[in-house]
């Protein structure tokens, strides 16, 4: 039937949604969530119907995603007909019923996700079904490939392209800022793309951004890598696996992460990675809790890598506390810069050279860790970092003290004396976020003690930095209500861990970082 | 932070959604799908954030659901802060993880569904998790009670309130129009609320509407029941279990129906039902396929009834073909009226008196079916029907021929001769819908043969009725491409049922009728 277009002049977040009133929908024989085919001149597209009770009859409301695509003006007529549901929806339904999906079925789903033919309700149900039923390795492979095929790729004319990735889960993990220069200084190519923080106080892109620009185009990335062997850029705008961003939009509110493997590996495949070390921080307060889980996940990545033509090794790393002392974009960048200049925390340097060492050994270089250590000690990694900073448009001569941070500071001291028994990764991350990280780049936390150290009564456990008073107050309040760092004079006399019912209800926190 | 309200002048289908641009959201520290607390003068509410890339900075876009509730004008300032996720979301997450939910957890979820504190993504994931993991009887009970508590109720001053319900699945099931008058004629109270069709060619409310008005208020219903002992009204506007309507909005696109039990039983409890017969049409083309499934479902309803204080008996009925000959609102009403006047199909009358008989026996009347039959034969049921029609505002003297139907007619004939081996319920329903039912009340199908009958070559299998040529053409095309009625001269010589790969891909059709 013919309907008049009413342009809504607002976006639906990329979704293709059309609004009908009850009567018009009923006349067309469509319900809320059904599809309609909209034809205007030569253009034709499918949209998902929402019903608004106060909408004028014989009109169709079009969000900008649709009106732009059709090139239509307000008040013009369109032809609207009920459309069939896409095939992908029947595959989604098959997955809900616990069936394994075939490669072409997975591909159809991913294509329809990218083309916005599936609604949020359908996408949410699909992701939930994947989470509950699990995904076979064949499905993971098909998902990874489909996610690469529906996105952009980076093509470097190199035989070996190295990469590292962390599944995330511990605050302060600024290892990339050391690994990329070490590997590049060894003459190997490592075009590192990173994400910004979603639920953490800092993503690698947030950290690096305090040193130099990270929002580079594909052509600019190629130039930087050709010049320096490496780069540290934000991958978000490169459209490497756009399906993943759409999956994340429903995974985030649900706090589930069933697409971890294809999400990470599709992005690696899209930039042409041949050798990858996957860092799996493991510990009670990390994303991965036990060695068993870590080994299983590591093996899954190796298996998937084989199917995709990427050689993978997994590094299970100590994840019981934050890495180094600094948490928050600017504070971490300072610490990383200090470390590459020779100072800085031992755990950060050990982890960076261990992972860089594995990468070197994967391409045939013996004694990888020692070589990584010597590249660091000899200042070659530092020179490489400065080359990369300059190539990306930053100041090559930057010193740690040039990196500004929040001018407001608070100290959290201990009321008891004792040895540090545990540091709660999530609580530390929450305090840093409450203080304003990652949005306020200078906000964050500096630990003044680490596991096993002895702190006297009144000693400072950590400092909070921020840029705004209200946020500082909230962060201090949170720091005092949580117990981010636990001490005991005699650990053997602190056996009670918790009680049920609990005194305080701890909110489930979810780490969605890839 | 303070933001300027921009009123969007459109509804979001009841959802409380606020629009922010990227920068403003990032400054607030909220992502798409996070919640914000909006304060305006004395009013405060929580909304779910959508991010639109072209939205003006420092504005918040408010759909009408929010702006009306706040009583705000465009351009006024509101205070916006990140809000915590509701507790119900952590219970949804627990269900995704396969945990059983406690009564208070279920209640919190249902309350938040009704108050629109959960997004479509969250609701979809919850319904999917219920479908995959299953629901315990404790959870079903808690869901039913919570759905009653969050809705309106009908309070009749009666000790015994009888009711019948069909889980649906076969076209032409107009039994209610006979049962209600029979039971009411026996002096028992039966205030029947029905739904309109969602995926079928006719719901009971659609059928009855061709006899008299069905959209009555609670007060009007009480009046009708006080006067006649019965009623046949549309339950949709009574808000008996509003959570159910919101669940259906996500169940429908997903074609899953995990809330069947609480959905039906909460509405029964809300009108005070004490005795219920549940009709479970069973057959290959019905919703319930096997006797085993039917018995299990029937027992579930009985168990749930005990928990809710409703005495339930389940009737497993023959569901291998449509009931009677007529399919479509007006055609079915004609057939039901004829049947109650003495004519009409035997299967309809047998089913109606069987179910009415069980109801009578449940309240202590012996030989229920015989009494039901005699009430029908003696014309008492007819007189009662006419009383109800009049009380609801219809014409008490209505004759079958007064009920108009589509003036366009097509006959579908058979090219082969033989006995009717099967009638495909879904195909018949699809043809009737394609012809315009239920929206066009006069559209539908009249069967000219039933299972086991012999049809000569060229004999008419069924007629299609409609009100519009285009729809008639589509229905005829569909009727010819499907094979709604299968014949064979020698059934023993038609052994091949299907082949893989199939010649025609049959779309999965989903019956969401309660």
């Amino acid at each position: 039937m013919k309907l008049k277009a009413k342009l809504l002049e607002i976006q639906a977040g990329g979704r293709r949604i059309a609004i009908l009133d009850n009567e018009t929908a009923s006349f067309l024989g469509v319900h809320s969530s059904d599809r309609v085919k909209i034809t205007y001149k030569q253009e034709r597209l499918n949209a998902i119907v929402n019903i608004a009770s106060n909408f004028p009859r014989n009109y169709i409301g079009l969000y900008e995603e649709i009106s732009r695509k059709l090139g239509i003006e307000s008040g013009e007529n369109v032809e609207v007909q009920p459309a069939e549901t896409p095939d992908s929806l029947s595959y989604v339904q098959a997955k809900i019923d616990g069936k394994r999906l075939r490669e072409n079925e997975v591909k159809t789903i991913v294509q329809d996700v990218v083309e916005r033919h599936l609604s949020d309700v359908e996408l949410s149900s699909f992701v939930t079904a994947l989470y509950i039923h699990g995904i076979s390795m064949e499905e993971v492979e098909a998902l990874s490939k489909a996610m690469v095929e529906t996105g952009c790729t980076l093509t470097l004319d190199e035989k070996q392209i190295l990469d590292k990735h962390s599944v995330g889960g511990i605050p302060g993990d600024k290892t990339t800022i050391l690994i990329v220069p070490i590997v590049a200084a060894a003459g190997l190519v490592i075009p590192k793309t990173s994400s910004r923080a979603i639920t953490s106080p800092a993503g690698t892109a947030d950290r690096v951004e305090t040193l130099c620009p990270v929002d580079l185009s594909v052509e600019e990335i190629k130039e930087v890598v050709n010049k320096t062997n490496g780069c540290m850029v934000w991958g978000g705008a490169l459209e490497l696996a756009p399906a993943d961003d759409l999956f994340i939009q429903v995974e985030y509110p649900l706090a589930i992460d069933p697409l971890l493997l294809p999400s990470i590996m599709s992005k690696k495949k899209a930039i042409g990675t041949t050798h990858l070390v996957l860092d799996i921080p493991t510990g009670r307060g990390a994303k991965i809790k036990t060695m068993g889980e870590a080994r299983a996940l590591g093996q899954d990545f190796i298996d998937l890598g084989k199917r995709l033509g990427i050689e993978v090794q997994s590094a299970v790393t100590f994840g019981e506390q934050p890495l180094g002392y600094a948490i928050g974009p600017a504070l971490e960048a300072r610490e990383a810069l200090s470390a590459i200049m020779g100072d800085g925390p031992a755990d950060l340097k050990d982890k960076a050279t261990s992972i860089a060492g594995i990468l070197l050994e994967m391409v045939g270089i013996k004694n990888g860790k020692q070589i990584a250590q010597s590249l660091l000690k000899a200042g070659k990694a530092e020179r490489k970092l400065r080359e990369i900073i300059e190539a990306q448009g930053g100041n090559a001569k930057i010193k740690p003290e040039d990196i500004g941070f929040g001018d407001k500071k608070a100290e959290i001291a201990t009321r008891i004396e004792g040895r540090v028994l545990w540091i709660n990764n999530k609580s530390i991350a929450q305090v840093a976020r409450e203080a304003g990280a990652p949005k306020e780049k200078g906000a964050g936390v500096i630990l003044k003690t680490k596991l096993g150290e002895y702190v006297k009564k009144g000693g400072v456990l950590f400092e909070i930095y921020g840029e705004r008073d209200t946020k500082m107050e909230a962060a201090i309040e949170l720091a005092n209500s949580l117990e981010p760092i636990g001490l005991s004079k005699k650990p053997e006399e602190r056996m009670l861990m918790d009680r049920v019912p609990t005194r305080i209800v701890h909110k489930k926190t979810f780490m969605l970082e890839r």
Side-chain angles (χ1 to χ4, degrees), chain A:
Chain A
M1 67 190 294
K2 286 243 175 298
L3 296 176
K4 259 198 192 355
K6 187 177 153 86
L7 307 197
L8 299 178
E9 291 177 352
I10 178 170
Q11 293 179 354
R15 303 168 188 92
R16 289 191 182 165
I17 295 174
I19 310 283
L20 296 175
D21 88 301
N22 259 317
E23 277 300 307
T24 311
S26 168
F27 194 79
L28 268 168
V30 293
H31 298 91
S32 206
S33 307
D34 280 344
R35 270 97 178 151
V36 289
K37 192 188 294 169
I38 306 175
T39 313
Y40 172 71
K41 294 183 182 166
Q42 306 307 319
E43 292 290 334
R44 165 179 296 193
L45 56 76
N46 282 10
I48 295 168
V49 172
N50 271 8
I51 293 178
S53 60
N54 65 338
F55 206 72
R57 203 176 294 188
N58 296 322
Y59 274 82
I60 183 164
L62 306 177
Y63 283 88
E64 279 182 18
E65 284 85 351
I66 297 180
S67 54
R68 275 201 200 149
K69 176 104 171 112
L70 293 178
I72 196 173
E73 299 289 322
S74 200
E76 291 190 272
N77 280 324
V78 290
E79 175 63 30
V80 180
Q81 292 192 315
E84 290 206 345
T85 56
D87 286 343
S88 56
L89 185 54
S90 59
Y91 308 143
V92 167
Q93 287 163 342
K95 192 70 216 176
I96 296 170
D97 278 330
K99 305 217 169 65
R100 273 171 300 114
L101 298 180
R102 286 171 184 75
E103 191 177 346
N104 69 316
E105 295 170 340
V106 168
K107 201 166 160 177
T108 308
I109 290 175
V110 173
Q111 275 166 350
D112 278 0
V113 167
V114 174
E115 285 168 24
R116 303 292 198 146
H117 289 170
L118 288 169
S119 71
D120 279 1
V121 164
E122 291 150 0
L123 210 52
S124 169
S125 186
F126 179 60
V127 166
T128 304
L130 289 179
Y131 176 78
I132 298 176
H133 289 304
I135 321 182
S136 74
M137 194 45 82
E138 284 71 25
E139 290 171 320
V140 173
E141 179 185 352
L143 277 162
S144 308
K145 287 180 174 168
M147 283 158 78
V148 174
E149 281 165 21
T150 49
C152 300
T153 52
L154 175 71
T155 42
L156 294 168
D157 194 20
E158 301 285 347
K159 273 201 176 157
Q160 289 179 336
I161 295 177
L162 277 59
D163 209 344
K164 61 84 59 175
H165 197 93
S166 170
V167 299
I170 61 165
D173 199 341
K174 68 247 351 146
T175 327
T176 293
I177 303 178
L178 278 73
I179 293 176
V180 169
I182 292 172
V183 172
L188 298 159
V189 174
I190 181 162
K192 175 75 183 131
T193 65
S194 304
S195 54
R196 296 191 189 281
I198 306 175
T199 60
S200 75
T204 294
D206 301 313
R207 295 171 188 120
V208 177
E209 202 167 30
T210 67
L211 299 170
C212 60
V214 293
D215 192 0
L216 275 62
S217 70
V218 166
E219 282 315 304
E220 289 166 334
I221 291 171
K222 282 185 183 176
E223 229 172 275
V224 172
V225 176
N226 284 336
K227 203 180 290 178
T228 70
N229 281 348
C231 71
M232 292 186 286
V233 300
W234 178 49
L238 302 176
E239 294 269 299
L240 294 177
D244 187 46
D245 299 329
L246 300 166
F247 285 128
I248 285 180
Q249 280 184 20
V250 301
E251 290 176 317
Y252 171 71
L254 301 174
I256 56 178
D257 191 10
L259 290 156
L260 180 71
L261 276 119
S263 164
I264 290 175
M265 293 298 275
S266 60
K267 287 183 178 162
K268 299 301 163 195
K269 190 69 197 166
I271 63 159
T273 302
T274 58
H275 296 79
L276 170 70
V277 173
L278 193 86
D279 174 21
I280 307 177
T282 302
R284 284 165 299 173
K287 194 182 210 166
I288 306 301
K289 314 287 180 208
T290 67
M291 292 299 288
E293 270 178 80
R295 289 198 189 108
L297 184 63
Q299 190 59 49
D300 280 349
F301 273 101
I302 291 168
D303 293 348
L304 178 56
K306 275 191 194 131
R307 290 164 179 265
L308 300 175
I310 301 175
E311 198 185 323
V312 179
Q313 291 197 19
S314 300
V316 181
T317 56
F318 186 77
E320 297 266 336
Q321 63 180 347
L323 190 67
Y325 296 91
I327 293 111
L331 296 169
E332 293 190 43
R334 282 173 72 102
E335 187 172 61
L337 187 55
S338 296
I340 212 164
M341 289 170 75
D343 274 349
D347 57 350
L348 169 59
K349 289 193 276 192
D350 184 72
K351 180 166 171 177
T353 52
S354 298
I355 291 175
I358 298 174
L359 272 173
L360 299 187
E361 289 177 1
M362 283 173 76
V363 295
I365 299 171
K366 282 185 184 159
N367 301 320
K369 184 167 179 178
Q370 280 156 274
I371 290 174
Q373 283 171 326
S374 62
L375 288 167
L376 190 61
K377 269 193 197 146
K380 289 186 183 166
E382 183 192 345
R383 279 200 294 282
K384 182 54 79 177
L385 175 64
R386 295 186 182 283
E387 270 178 43
I388 294 171
I389 289 174
E390 187 166 31
Q392 291 191 194
N395 168 22
K397 301 214 167 73
I398 192 167
K399 285 174 288 191
E401 51 271 31
D402 296 336
I403 304 168
F405 56 91
D407 60 348
K408 305 191 191 306
K409 177 182 165 184
E411 293 182 334
I412 303 296
T414 177
R415 270 161 290 178
I416 55 164
E417 180 167 336
R419 202 165 286 286
V420 176
L421 280 190
W422 43 260
I423 301 184
N424 188 320
N425 282 323
K426 286 182 188 170
S427 301
I428 293 289
Q430 275 179 282
V431 171
R433 283 181 67 93
E434 200 72 27
K439 177 62 192 163
E440 285 152 34
K441 290 217 151 23
V445 164
I446 298 276
L447 299 178
K448 302 308 279 184
T449 186
K450 298 281 295 259
L451 281 182
E453 292 178 11
Y454 200 88
V455 188
K456 293 222 164 122
K457 189 171 171 179
V460 177
L461 296 174
F462 56 93
E463 298 162 348
I464 305 174
Y465 289 86
E467 297 174 359
R468 294 202 293 164
D469 284 326
T470 50
K471 296 221 164 179
M472 283 299 287
E473 280 165 32
I476 294 165
E477 198 189 315
L478 186 67
N480 288 322
S481 80
L482 301 169
E483 192 184 355
I485 298 184
L487 297 97
S488 177
K489 225 167 167 176
K490 294 188 179 174
E492 61 273 25
E493 286 176 11
R494 195 173 169 173
M495 294 304 292
L496 184 65
M497 292 170 73
D498 202 358
R499 288 166 64 173
V500 179
T502 48
R503 282 171 312 161
I504 310 162
V505 179
H506 293 285
K507 285 271 167 194
K508 181 175 176 183
T509 53
F510 173 58
M511 299 182 223
L512 184 69
E513 305 295 337
R514 286 160 175 174

